[in-house]
Amino acid sequence: MNTRKILLSILGGVVILLSLYLANSIIKSKTTPRPTPAKVVKTVFTDTVQNGTVPIVVPANGNLVAKKRVELFSEVQGIFRPGNKLYRPGQQYRSGETMIRIDAEEYRASVQSAKSNLYNLITSIMPDLRLDYPEISGKWQEYLNSFDMERPTPELPELTTEKEKYFISGRGILTNYYNVKNLEQRLGKYIIRAPFDGVLTEALVTEGTLIRAGQKLGEFINTGTFELEVAISKTFSDLLRVGEAVNLTNLDGSETYKGKVSRINARVEQGSQTITAFIEVNDPELREGMYLEALLDARNEENAIEIDRSLLLEDDKIFVVRDSILDYINVKPVYFTDKKVVLKDVPDGTTIISKPVVGAYAGMLVKVYEEKQEQQ
Protein backbone atom coordinates (compact mmCIF):
# COMPACT_ATOMS: atom_id res chain seq x y z
CA MET A 1 0.00 0.00 0.00
CA ASN A 2 2.76 2.35 0.88
CA THR A 3 4.62 1.39 -2.27
CA ARG A 4 1.58 2.22 -4.36
CA LYS A 5 1.24 5.65 -2.80
CA ILE A 6 4.90 6.30 -3.41
CA LEU A 7 4.60 5.31 -7.07
CA LEU A 8 1.50 7.47 -7.57
CA SER A 9 3.25 10.44 -5.97
CA ILE A 10 6.28 9.97 -8.20
CA LEU A 11 4.06 9.60 -11.27
CA GLY A 12 2.12 12.74 -10.33
CA GLY A 13 5.36 14.69 -9.93
CA VAL A 14 6.59 13.49 -13.31
CA VAL A 15 3.31 14.56 -14.95
CA ILE A 16 3.52 17.99 -13.35
CA LEU A 17 7.15 18.45 -14.41
CA LEU A 18 6.32 17.29 -17.92
CA SER A 19 3.40 19.71 -18.11
CA LEU A 20 5.61 22.61 -17.01
CA TYR A 21 8.25 21.61 -19.53
CA LEU A 22 5.75 21.38 -22.36
CA ALA A 23 4.12 24.71 -21.42
CA ASN A 24 7.49 26.42 -21.31
CA SER A 25 8.44 24.93 -24.66
CA ILE A 26 5.20 26.13 -26.20
CA ILE A 27 5.73 29.64 -24.81
CA LYS A 28 9.28 29.79 -26.15
CA SER A 29 8.29 28.47 -29.53
CA LYS A 30 5.46 31.00 -29.96
CA THR A 31 6.77 34.23 -31.73
CA THR A 32 4.52 37.22 -32.55
CA PRO A 33 5.57 38.95 -35.84
CA ARG A 34 6.45 42.63 -35.29
CA PRO A 35 4.58 44.92 -37.78
CA THR A 36 6.76 46.68 -40.29
CA PRO A 37 6.15 50.46 -40.17
CA ALA A 38 4.63 51.80 -43.35
CA LYS A 39 6.71 54.30 -45.23
CA VAL A 40 4.70 57.61 -45.28
CA VAL A 41 5.19 59.85 -48.31
CA LYS A 42 3.31 63.13 -48.11
CA THR A 43 1.84 64.72 -51.20
CA VAL A 44 2.73 68.39 -51.60
CA PHE A 45 1.66 71.24 -53.86
CA THR A 46 4.45 73.02 -55.67
CA ASP A 47 5.15 75.93 -58.01
CA THR A 48 8.05 76.55 -60.35
CA VAL A 49 9.71 79.92 -59.75
CA GLN A 50 9.65 82.44 -62.56
CA ASN A 51 10.97 85.80 -61.39
CA GLY A 52 9.30 88.91 -62.75
CA THR A 53 7.97 92.35 -61.85
CA VAL A 54 5.90 92.40 -58.68
CA PRO A 55 3.89 95.60 -58.04
CA ILE A 56 4.18 96.75 -54.43
CA VAL A 57 0.68 97.74 -53.34
CA VAL A 58 0.51 99.51 -49.99
CA PRO A 59 -2.80 99.02 -48.14
CA ALA A 60 -4.08 101.85 -45.96
CA ASN A 61 -7.44 102.66 -44.43
CA GLY A 62 -9.38 105.45 -42.81
CA ASN A 63 -12.71 107.27 -42.61
CA LEU A 64 -14.08 109.66 -45.19
CA VAL A 65 -14.25 113.37 -44.38
CA ALA A 66 -15.96 115.98 -46.54
CA LYS A 67 -13.41 118.12 -48.35
CA LYS A 68 -15.63 121.19 -47.91
CA ARG A 69 -16.95 121.48 -44.38
CA VAL A 70 -17.87 124.46 -42.23
CA GLU A 71 -18.47 124.68 -38.51
CA LEU A 72 -21.17 127.30 -37.98
CA PHE A 73 -20.71 129.85 -35.18
CA SER A 74 -22.66 132.94 -34.27
CA GLU A 75 -20.90 136.30 -33.98
CA VAL A 76 -23.99 138.09 -32.68
CA GLN A 77 -26.74 137.50 -30.12
CA GLY A 78 -30.47 137.18 -30.62
CA ILE A 79 -33.50 134.92 -31.03
CA PHE A 80 -33.38 132.29 -33.79
CA ARG A 81 -36.32 133.11 -36.08
CA PRO A 82 -38.00 130.38 -38.20
CA GLY A 83 -37.17 130.32 -41.91
CA ASN A 84 -38.40 128.57 -45.03
CA LYS A 85 -36.73 125.32 -44.01
CA LEU A 86 -36.42 123.61 -40.65
CA TYR A 87 -32.90 123.79 -39.27
CA ARG A 88 -32.36 120.06 -38.79
CA PRO A 89 -29.62 117.49 -39.59
CA GLY A 90 -29.94 116.21 -43.15
CA GLN A 91 -31.48 119.44 -44.45
CA GLN A 92 -30.11 120.48 -47.84
CA TYR A 93 -29.29 124.08 -48.75
CA ARG A 94 -28.27 125.74 -51.98
CA SER A 95 -25.34 128.12 -52.11
CA GLY A 96 -26.42 131.53 -50.75
CA GLU A 97 -29.66 130.20 -49.24
CA THR A 98 -30.53 131.45 -45.75
CA MET A 99 -29.84 128.84 -43.09
CA ILE A 100 -30.23 130.85 -39.86
CA ARG A 101 -31.98 134.18 -39.35
CA ILE A 102 -31.41 135.88 -35.99
CA ASP A 103 -33.79 138.64 -34.86
CA ALA A 104 -32.00 141.94 -35.61
CA GLU A 105 -34.77 144.55 -35.30
CA GLU A 106 -33.16 146.34 -32.39
CA TYR A 107 -29.74 146.40 -33.99
CA ARG A 108 -31.19 147.44 -37.37
CA ALA A 109 -32.73 150.47 -35.69
CA SER A 110 -29.30 151.57 -34.42
CA VAL A 111 -27.88 151.15 -37.93
CA GLN A 112 -30.65 153.28 -39.39
CA SER A 113 -29.96 155.92 -36.76
CA ALA A 114 -26.28 156.03 -37.71
CA LYS A 115 -27.13 156.26 -41.41
CA SER A 116 -29.52 159.09 -40.69
CA ASN A 117 -26.79 160.97 -38.84
CA LEU A 118 -24.43 160.54 -41.80
CA TYR A 119 -27.08 161.79 -44.22
CA ASN A 120 -27.81 164.82 -42.08
CA LEU A 121 -24.12 165.59 -41.70
CA ILE A 122 -23.55 165.58 -45.46
CA THR A 123 -26.68 167.67 -45.97
CA SER A 124 -25.35 170.26 -43.52
CA ILE A 125 -22.16 170.87 -45.51
CA MET A 126 -23.89 171.34 -48.86
CA PRO A 127 -24.36 175.14 -48.51
CA ASP A 128 -20.64 175.59 -47.76
CA LEU A 129 -19.72 173.38 -50.70
CA ARG A 130 -21.86 175.43 -53.10
CA LEU A 131 -20.21 178.67 -51.91
CA ASP A 132 -16.59 177.63 -51.36
CA TYR A 133 -16.21 174.57 -53.62
CA PRO A 134 -18.77 174.81 -56.41
CA GLU A 135 -16.69 172.51 -58.63
CA ILE A 136 -17.29 169.51 -56.33
CA SER A 137 -20.71 170.32 -54.93
CA GLY A 138 -22.40 168.56 -57.86
CA LYS A 139 -21.00 165.09 -57.10
CA TRP A 140 -21.91 165.41 -53.44
CA GLN A 141 -25.43 166.42 -54.39
CA GLU A 142 -25.66 163.30 -56.58
CA TYR A 143 -24.46 161.24 -53.62
CA LEU A 144 -27.27 162.58 -51.46
CA ASN A 145 -29.79 161.87 -54.20
CA SER A 146 -28.61 158.20 -54.38
CA PHE A 147 -28.67 157.76 -50.61
CA ASP A 148 -31.40 155.25 -49.70
CA MET A 149 -32.07 154.46 -46.04
CA GLU A 150 -33.36 150.97 -46.94
CA ARG A 151 -30.32 149.98 -48.95
CA PRO A 152 -26.61 149.65 -48.07
CA THR A 153 -24.79 152.94 -47.77
CA PRO A 154 -23.16 153.85 -51.11
CA GLU A 155 -19.45 154.59 -51.28
CA LEU A 156 -18.42 158.21 -50.76
CA PRO A 157 -17.42 160.23 -53.81
CA GLU A 158 -13.72 160.16 -54.63
CA LEU A 159 -11.76 162.91 -52.86
CA THR A 160 -9.69 164.44 -55.66
CA THR A 161 -7.95 167.45 -54.06
CA GLU A 162 -6.18 168.12 -50.77
CA LYS A 163 -8.65 170.92 -49.92
CA GLU A 164 -11.59 168.57 -50.42
CA LYS A 165 -9.97 165.90 -48.22
CA TYR A 166 -9.32 168.38 -45.42
CA PHE A 167 -12.81 169.83 -45.63
CA ILE A 168 -14.67 166.50 -45.68
CA SER A 169 -12.45 164.92 -43.03
CA GLY A 170 -12.63 167.99 -40.78
CA ARG A 171 -16.41 167.78 -40.71
CA GLY A 172 -16.26 164.19 -39.41
CA ILE A 173 -17.89 162.71 -42.50
CA LEU A 174 -15.24 160.02 -43.03
CA THR A 175 -15.49 158.87 -39.40
CA ASN A 176 -19.27 158.66 -39.56
CA TYR A 177 -19.18 156.89 -42.91
CA TYR A 178 -16.85 154.11 -41.75
CA ASN A 179 -18.81 153.74 -38.53
CA VAL A 180 -21.97 153.16 -40.58
CA LYS A 181 -20.21 150.65 -42.82
CA ASN A 182 -18.97 148.78 -39.76
CA LEU A 183 -22.49 148.61 -38.34
CA GLU A 184 -23.85 147.38 -41.68
CA GLN A 185 -21.23 144.65 -41.83
CA ARG A 186 -22.24 143.44 -38.40
CA LEU A 187 -25.92 143.62 -39.32
CA GLY A 188 -25.22 141.14 -42.12
CA LYS A 189 -24.02 138.62 -39.53
CA TYR A 190 -27.57 138.22 -38.21
CA ILE A 191 -28.23 136.09 -41.31
CA ILE A 192 -26.11 133.00 -41.96
CA ARG A 193 -26.21 131.77 -45.54
CA ALA A 194 -24.97 128.51 -47.05
CA PRO A 195 -21.43 129.03 -48.39
CA PHE A 196 -21.93 126.25 -50.97
CA ASP A 197 -24.38 123.53 -51.95
CA GLY A 198 -24.48 120.96 -49.18
CA VAL A 199 -26.18 119.25 -46.26
CA LEU A 200 -26.48 120.18 -42.61
CA THR A 201 -24.91 117.30 -40.65
CA GLU A 202 -25.24 118.74 -37.14
CA ALA A 203 -27.76 121.19 -35.68
CA LEU A 204 -27.14 122.41 -32.13
CA VAL A 205 -29.93 125.01 -31.97
CA THR A 206 -33.59 125.11 -32.90
CA GLU A 207 -36.03 127.85 -33.87
CA GLY A 208 -36.88 130.10 -30.94
CA THR A 209 -33.56 129.50 -29.18
CA LEU A 210 -31.62 132.44 -27.75
CA ILE A 211 -28.32 132.40 -29.61
CA ARG A 212 -25.27 133.93 -27.94
CA ALA A 213 -22.16 135.35 -29.56
CA GLY A 214 -19.51 132.66 -30.05
CA GLN A 215 -22.00 129.80 -29.75
CA LYS A 216 -21.56 126.83 -32.10
CA LEU A 217 -24.66 126.31 -34.24
CA GLY A 218 -23.83 123.18 -36.23
CA GLU A 219 -21.80 121.73 -39.10
CA PHE A 220 -22.38 122.02 -42.84
CA ILE A 221 -20.66 119.90 -45.51
CA ASN A 222 -20.54 119.53 -49.26
CA THR A 223 -21.47 115.98 -50.29
CA GLY A 224 -19.81 116.06 -53.69
CA THR A 225 -16.16 115.52 -52.75
CA PHE A 226 -14.61 113.57 -49.90
CA GLU A 227 -11.09 112.96 -48.64
CA LEU A 228 -9.58 109.88 -47.04
CA GLU A 229 -6.68 110.53 -44.67
CA VAL A 230 -4.26 107.59 -44.53
CA ALA A 231 -0.91 106.99 -42.83
CA ILE A 232 1.84 105.55 -45.03
CA SER A 233 5.27 104.29 -43.97
CA LYS A 234 8.03 106.80 -44.63
CA THR A 235 9.70 104.10 -46.77
CA PHE A 236 7.28 105.00 -49.55
CA SER A 237 7.30 108.77 -49.03
CA ASP A 238 9.43 109.35 -52.13
CA LEU A 239 7.28 107.02 -54.24
CA LEU A 240 3.86 108.64 -53.75
CA ARG A 241 2.90 111.34 -56.21
CA VAL A 242 0.07 113.90 -56.15
CA GLY A 243 -2.52 112.92 -58.74
CA GLU A 244 -1.71 109.20 -58.58
CA ALA A 245 -4.77 106.96 -59.04
CA VAL A 246 -5.90 104.92 -56.05
CA ASN A 247 -8.41 102.07 -55.77
CA LEU A 248 -10.72 102.20 -52.75
CA THR A 249 -12.94 99.46 -51.35
CA ASN A 250 -15.56 99.44 -48.59
CA LEU A 251 -15.38 97.36 -45.44
CA ASP A 252 -16.83 94.15 -46.89
CA GLY A 253 -15.15 94.58 -50.28
CA SER A 254 -18.45 94.68 -52.19
CA GLU A 255 -17.95 98.17 -53.68
CA THR A 256 -14.93 99.74 -55.41
CA TYR A 257 -14.31 103.44 -55.91
CA LYS A 258 -11.71 105.45 -57.83
CA GLY A 259 -9.72 108.16 -56.11
CA LYS A 260 -6.49 110.10 -56.48
CA VAL A 261 -3.82 111.43 -54.15
CA SER A 262 -4.63 115.11 -53.62
CA ARG A 263 -2.12 116.12 -50.93
CA ILE A 264 0.89 114.64 -49.12
CA ASN A 265 2.06 115.97 -45.78
CA ALA A 266 5.75 116.89 -45.74
CA ARG A 267 6.16 116.05 -42.05
CA VAL A 268 6.91 112.57 -40.68
CA GLU A 269 5.10 111.57 -37.48
CA GLN A 270 7.87 110.94 -34.95
CA GLY A 271 6.10 108.20 -33.02
CA SER A 272 4.89 106.01 -35.90
CA GLN A 273 7.39 107.17 -38.54
CA THR A 274 4.59 107.59 -41.06
CA ILE A 275 3.49 110.32 -43.40
CA THR A 276 -0.08 111.41 -44.03
CA ALA A 277 -1.55 111.28 -47.52
CA PHE A 278 -4.98 112.59 -48.52
CA ILE A 279 -6.98 110.74 -51.18
CA GLU A 280 -9.77 112.60 -52.95
CA VAL A 281 -12.79 110.62 -54.12
CA ASN A 282 -16.10 111.59 -55.75
CA ASP A 283 -19.13 109.33 -55.69
CA PRO A 284 -22.79 110.07 -54.90
CA GLU A 285 -23.06 106.86 -52.84
CA LEU A 286 -20.36 107.91 -50.37
CA ARG A 287 -21.15 109.38 -46.97
CA GLU A 288 -18.97 111.15 -44.46
CA GLY A 289 -17.55 108.79 -41.86
CA MET A 290 -17.56 105.70 -44.12
CA TYR A 291 -14.63 103.35 -43.58
CA LEU A 292 -12.64 102.65 -46.76
CA GLU A 293 -9.45 100.80 -47.59
CA ALA A 294 -7.03 102.28 -50.10
CA LEU A 295 -4.57 100.32 -52.25
CA LEU A 296 -1.66 102.58 -53.19
CA ASP A 297 0.65 101.53 -56.04
CA ALA A 298 3.97 102.36 -54.41
CA ARG A 299 6.56 100.81 -56.74
CA ASN A 300 7.45 97.82 -58.92
CA GLU A 301 9.96 95.29 -57.56
CA GLU A 302 12.03 93.73 -60.35
CA ASN A 303 13.28 90.09 -60.34
CA ALA A 304 11.03 89.04 -57.48
CA ILE A 305 8.20 86.65 -56.64
CA GLU A 306 5.19 86.86 -54.31
CA ILE A 307 4.13 83.95 -52.06
CA ASP A 308 1.89 83.36 -49.05
CA ARG A 309 3.42 84.72 -45.89
CA SER A 310 2.82 81.37 -44.12
CA LEU A 311 5.41 79.74 -46.42
CA LEU A 312 8.26 81.91 -45.14
CA LEU A 313 10.19 80.11 -42.40
CA GLU A 314 12.25 81.56 -39.61
CA ASP A 315 15.63 82.99 -40.57
CA ASP A 316 14.20 83.94 -43.98
CA LYS A 317 14.05 80.47 -45.56
CA ILE A 318 11.52 78.63 -47.72
CA PHE A 319 11.05 74.93 -48.53
CA VAL A 320 12.01 73.62 -51.96
CA VAL A 321 11.71 70.14 -53.52
CA ARG A 322 14.84 68.44 -54.86
CA ASP A 323 14.43 64.89 -56.24
CA SER A 324 11.29 64.25 -54.12
CA ILE A 325 13.05 65.41 -50.96
CA LEU A 326 12.30 68.59 -49.04
CA ASP A 327 15.09 71.12 -48.57
CA TYR A 328 15.22 74.83 -47.82
CA ILE A 329 17.03 77.82 -49.27
CA ASN A 330 17.75 81.34 -48.02
CA VAL A 331 15.69 84.17 -49.49
CA LYS A 332 15.50 87.95 -49.18
CA PRO A 333 12.09 89.37 -48.14
CA VAL A 334 11.59 92.92 -49.46
CA TYR A 335 7.95 93.65 -48.58
CA PHE A 336 5.31 92.17 -46.26
CA THR A 337 1.53 92.45 -46.21
CA ASP A 338 -0.84 90.71 -43.83
CA LYS A 339 -1.11 87.71 -46.21
CA LYS A 340 1.70 87.96 -48.77
CA VAL A 341 5.46 88.47 -48.88
CA VAL A 342 7.63 89.58 -51.80
CA LEU A 343 10.92 87.67 -52.11
CA LYS A 344 14.14 88.09 -54.02
CA ASP A 345 17.17 85.82 -54.55
CA VAL A 346 15.05 82.81 -55.53
CA PRO A 347 16.57 81.23 -58.70
CA ASP A 348 14.35 80.73 -61.74
CA GLY A 349 13.16 77.15 -62.19
CA THR A 350 13.29 76.32 -58.48
CA THR A 351 10.43 74.08 -57.33
CA ILE A 352 9.00 75.60 -54.16
CA ILE A 353 6.18 74.53 -51.84
CA SER A 354 3.01 76.46 -52.66
CA LYS A 355 0.94 75.30 -49.66
CA PRO A 356 2.12 74.70 -46.07
CA VAL A 357 3.00 71.10 -45.14
CA VAL A 358 2.29 69.98 -41.58
CA GLY A 359 5.39 68.60 -39.86
CA ALA A 360 7.69 69.40 -42.78
CA TYR A 361 11.44 69.16 -42.27
CA ALA A 362 14.56 69.15 -44.42
CA GLY A 363 15.15 65.65 -45.83
CA MET A 364 11.49 64.67 -45.73
CA LEU A 365 10.37 62.39 -48.61
CA VAL A 366 7.47 63.94 -50.52
CA LYS A 367 5.46 63.41 -53.66
CA VAL A 368 4.47 66.30 -55.93
CA TYR A 369 0.72 66.53 -56.50
CA GLU A 370 1.03 67.13 -60.25
CA GLU A 371 3.13 63.97 -60.70
CA LYS A 372 0.52 61.93 -58.87
CA GLN A 373 -2.21 63.21 -61.15
CA GLU A 374 -0.20 62.30 -64.24
CA GLN A 375 0.34 58.72 -63.04
CA GLN A 376 -3.37 58.29 -62.52
Side-chain angles (χ1 to χ4, degrees):
M1 189 69 180
N2 292 332
T3 304
R4 185 180 179 186
K5 289 182 180 180
I6 294 171
L7 289 175
L8 290 174
S9 299
I10 293 172
L11 182 62
V14 172
V15 171
I16 293 173
L17 290 174
L18 184 61
S19 299
L20 293 174
Y21 174 77
L22 291 174
N24 189 40
S25 298
I26 293 172
I27 293 172
K28 288 182 178 181
S29 64
K30 185 178 181 181
T31 58
T32 304
R34 184 173 297 175
T36 304
K39 199 170 186 179
V40 178
V41 179
K42 287 195 175 183
T43 302
V44 296
F45 294 86
T46 61
D47 278 333
T48 301
V49 172
Q50 183 63 48
N51 284 280
T53 301
V54 178
I56 301 297
V57 179
V58 182
N61 50 64
N63 296 94
L64 286 179
V65 176
K67 188 174 183 179
K68 288 185 178 181
R69 62 182 301 111
V70 176
E71 290 188 344
L72 304 174
F73 287 87
S74 174
E75 297 184 57
V76 295
Q77 179 172 310
I79 301 297
F80 183 3
R81 295 301 182 192
N84 296 329
K85 294 181 178 180
L86 287 176
Y87 186 78
R88 299 290 187 275
Q91 187 65 262
Q92 296 184 351
Y93 294 93
R94 304 284 296 176
S95 179
E97 188 175 0
T98 299
M99 301 174 64
I100 296 177
R101 185 185 301 274
I102 302 174
D103 186 12
E105 292 303 318
E106 182 179 351
Y107 190 81
R108 183 176 288 105
S110 64
V111 175
Q112 294 297 91
S113 176
K115 290 175 67 175
S116 178
N117 290 336
L118 175 63
Y119 183 85
N120 294 336
L121 186 59
I122 296 175
T123 302
S124 68
I125 66 169
M126 289 305 299
D128 294 334
L129 287 176
R130 292 191 185 96
L131 291 175
D132 300 332
Y133 305 100
E135 68 278 5
I136 64 172
S137 62
K139 65 179 180 181
W140 284 96
Q141 185 60 52
E142 290 179 3
Y143 181 78
L144 285 177
N145 295 338
S146 65
F147 201 100
D148 188 347
M149 296 294 294
E150 301 302 324
R151 301 181 63 185
T153 304
E155 293 187 8
L156 291 176
E158 183 181 359
L159 305 180
T160 55
T161 64
E162 291 294 327
K163 290 183 178 180
E164 183 181 9
K165 291 179 183 178
Y166 293 146
F167 181 82
I168 297 299
S169 178
R171 298 299 180 94
I173 293 177
L174 292 180
T175 301
N176 277 268
Y177 170 77
Y178 288 113
N179 180 53
V180 170
K181 297 300 289 184
N182 181 56
L183 294 175
E184 286 181 337
Q185 287 289 329
R186 189 165 183 80
L187 180 62
K189 295 177 180 179
Y190 281 81
I191 296 178
I192 299 178
R193 303 181 186 276
F196 43 76
D197 293 349
V199 175
L200 189 68
T201 58
E202 183 181 27
L204 301 178
V205 293
T206 56
E207 292 79 359
T209 304
L210 173 62
I211 296 176
R212 294 178 173 82
Q215 180 179 352
K216 184 177 179 180
L217 308 177
E219 288 188 2
F220 184 71
I221 68 169
N222 177 273
T223 57
T225 305
F226 296 91
E227 280 190 334
L228 182 70
E229 180 179 344
V230 295
I232 306 298
S233 172
K234 70 172 184 178
T235 307
F236 306 104
S237 61
D238 58 335
L239 303 173
L240 290 177
R241 296 288 182 270
V242 174
E244 183 177 349
V246 180
N247 291 323
L248 304 169
T249 58
N250 59 1
L251 188 60
D252 55 7
S254 60
E255 297 292 339
T256 302
Y257 309 96
K258 295 292 184 180
K260 65 178 181 179
V261 179
S262 59
R263 304 193 312 280
I264 300 174
N265 198 338
R267 184 173 63 117
V268 176
E269 293 293 336
Q270 294 184 358
S272 60
Q273 289 296 292
T274 59
I275 60 172
T276 303
F278 296 87
I279 301 169
E280 183 178 317
V281 56
N282 299 293
D283 196 287
E285 296 181 1
L286 296 176
R287 297 290 183 270
E288 185 175 63
M290 283 181 63
Y291 178 89
L292 294 182
E293 183 176 15
L295 300 176
L296 300 167
D297 295 329
R299 69 167 184 260
N300 291 328
E301 193 67 50
E302 303 293 338
N303 296 320
I305 63 171
E306 186 179 46
I307 65 172
D308 286 341
R309 190 166 179 173
S310 59
L311 299 175
L312 183 64
L313 308 176
E314 294 182 0
D315 301 327
D316 297 337
K317 293 177 172 42
I318 61 172
F319 277 119
V320 298
V321 179
R322 292 193 178 112
D323 297 328
S324 299
I325 296 177
L326 278 187
D327 197 1
Y328 53 77
I329 61 172
N330 294 317
V331 293
K332 179 183 177 182
V334 294
Y335 180 70
F336 291 89
T337 68
D338 55 343
K339 296 181 179 179
K340 299 286 186 178
V341 58
V342 179
L343 304 177
K344 301 195 74 170
D345 296 344
V346 183
D348 284 336
T350 304
T351 302
I352 65 173
I353 299 297
S354 61
K355 291 185 179 180
V357 179
V358 178
Y361 56 89
M364 181 179 182
L365 187 63
V366 295
K367 197 171 191 178
V368 178
Y369 176 75
E370 289 77 8
E371 293 180 355
K372 180 180 177 181
Q373 295 288 57
E374 289 176 0
Q375 291 175 1
Q376 292 177 351

